[in-house]
Amino acid sequence: MTRFDKFFGLKAITISAALSLTAGLAFAGDNNVTANQILDALKSKPLTRGLSAGPQTETADRGKEASFLNTVRNRQTRSLSMGEREQIAELATNKPKIDLEIQFDYNSANIATTSMGSVQALGKALSDPALKGSTFVVAGHTDAIGSDPFNQDLSERRADTIKKYLVRNYGLNGSDLVTVGYGKTRLKDAANGADPVNRRVQVVNMETKTSASK
């Protein structure tokens, strides 16, 4: 092999290695999820009854949940009181949920281009027959930078942005999507309040269907 062949052979190996490394880094930095991952996370889980809880108690509890959800269904996000926001959070505690790292532009309700894959996957998952027609909570969260009122408003606008996108692009029923904002009160990384991971959206399957969806 000539020196010429050796030189270009080495260059080709170097370029190939560099491309492989770049591809690996790009994959590692991709926080988008798939529709199947969202679907699996939001599917209803089998009920586990406690010793003291019977069918009548469970039915009564579900009735109360459904009644409350009907009071916030079709409500404007910013019209929810602090008490209603906390009640939604309490009901969501034991429900199927997924915390999506849907990033937004800084100080904005515009969805970041890098997160569009997750938003589209969410639309596909919620359109699946296994989930379609259920009531979902779409909760917006911000990072810790800025005042409480500013972040509360921003989180509400972010939740509204996701709802509007899902209704417009996937034909989902707006009454099946309850939006709520928590501002900076529920940080994902409390030790690093300014971290972008705090600017996210949580989706919860409330396991309640509207009468039109049953």
Side-chain angles (χ1 to χ4, degrees), residues 131-184:
L131 295 180
K132 193 172 183 180
S134 291
T135 300
F136 298 93
V137 165
V138 179
H141 299 265
T142 69
D143 58 32
I145 301 174
S147 66
D148 289 342
F150 176 83
N151 281 289
Q152 180 60 38
D153 178 72
L154 185 59
S155 66
E156 292 167 353
R157 290 193 288 120
R158 287 175 173 172
D160 285 339
T161 294
I162 299 300
K163 177 178 178 176
K164 290 175 182 176
Y165 185 92
L166 294 174
V167 171
R168 182 175 65 249
N169 293 282
Y170 291 90
L172 297 178
N173 189 340
S175 65
D176 293 338
L177 301 173
V178 174
T179 51
V180 60
Y182 289 105
K184 59 180 181 179

Side-chain angles (χ1 to χ4, degrees), residues 1-193:
M1 181 181 290
T2 66
R3 293 179 60 188
F4 180 85
D5 292 332
K6 288 181 179 179
F7 174 76
F8 280 96
L10 180 60
K11 291 287 287 184
I13 293 172
T14 303
I15 293 172
S16 176
L19 289 174
S20 297
L21 178 59
T22 301
L25 290 173
F27 181 79
D30 185 1
N31 291 323
N32 284 310
V33 295
T34 66
N36 284 336
Q37 288 174 314
I38 297 174
L39 189 62
D40 289 341
L42 294 181
K43 282 181 179 177
S44 298
K45 306 299 187 291
L47 290 175
T48 302
R49 294 193 179 119
L51 294 177
S52 59
Q56 291 182 336
T57 301
E58 292 171 357
T59 300
D61 289 343
R62 285 185 174 273
K64 291 179 181 178
E65 291 179 11
S67 178
F68 169 71
L69 286 176
N70 284 333
T71 68
V72 295
R73 198 187 302 277
N74 294 322
R75 290 265 301 276
Q76 291 187 352
T77 312
R78 63 187 58 199
S79 73
L80 299 178
S81 68
M82 181 180 295
E84 287 171 328
R85 295 197 299 266
E86 291 305 312
Q87 190 167 351
I88 291 173
E90 182 178 348
L91 289 177
T93 301
N94 297 316
K95 301 292 186 181
K97 64 179 68 66
I98 187 167
D99 205 9
L100 300 175
E101 291 188 11
I102 297 177
Q103 299 295 303
F104 296 86
D105 294 339
Y106 182 66
N107 281 358
S108 169
N110 296 325
I111 302 169
T113 303
T114 54
S115 289
M116 285 306 300
S118 287
V119 180
Q120 292 165 352
L122 177 61
K124 293 176 182 177
L126 299 189
S127 300
D128 190 279
L131 295 180
K132 193 172 183 180
S134 291
T135 300
F136 298 93
V137 165
V138 179
H141 299 265
T142 69
D143 58 32
I145 301 174
S147 66
D148 289 342
F150 176 83
N151 281 289
Q152 180 60 38
D153 178 72
L154 185 59
S155 66
E156 292 167 353
R157 290 193 288 120
R158 287 175 173 172
D160 285 339
T161 294
I162 299 300
K163 177 178 178 176
K164 290 175 182 176
Y165 185 92
L166 294 174
V167 171
R168 182 175 65 249
N169 293 282
Y170 291 90
L172 297 178
N173 189 340
S175 65
D176 293 338
L177 301 173
V178 174
T179 51
V180 60
Y182 289 105
K184 59 180 181 179
T185 62
R186 295 174 177 272
L187 297 174
K188 185 173 184 178
D189 186 353
N192 299 284

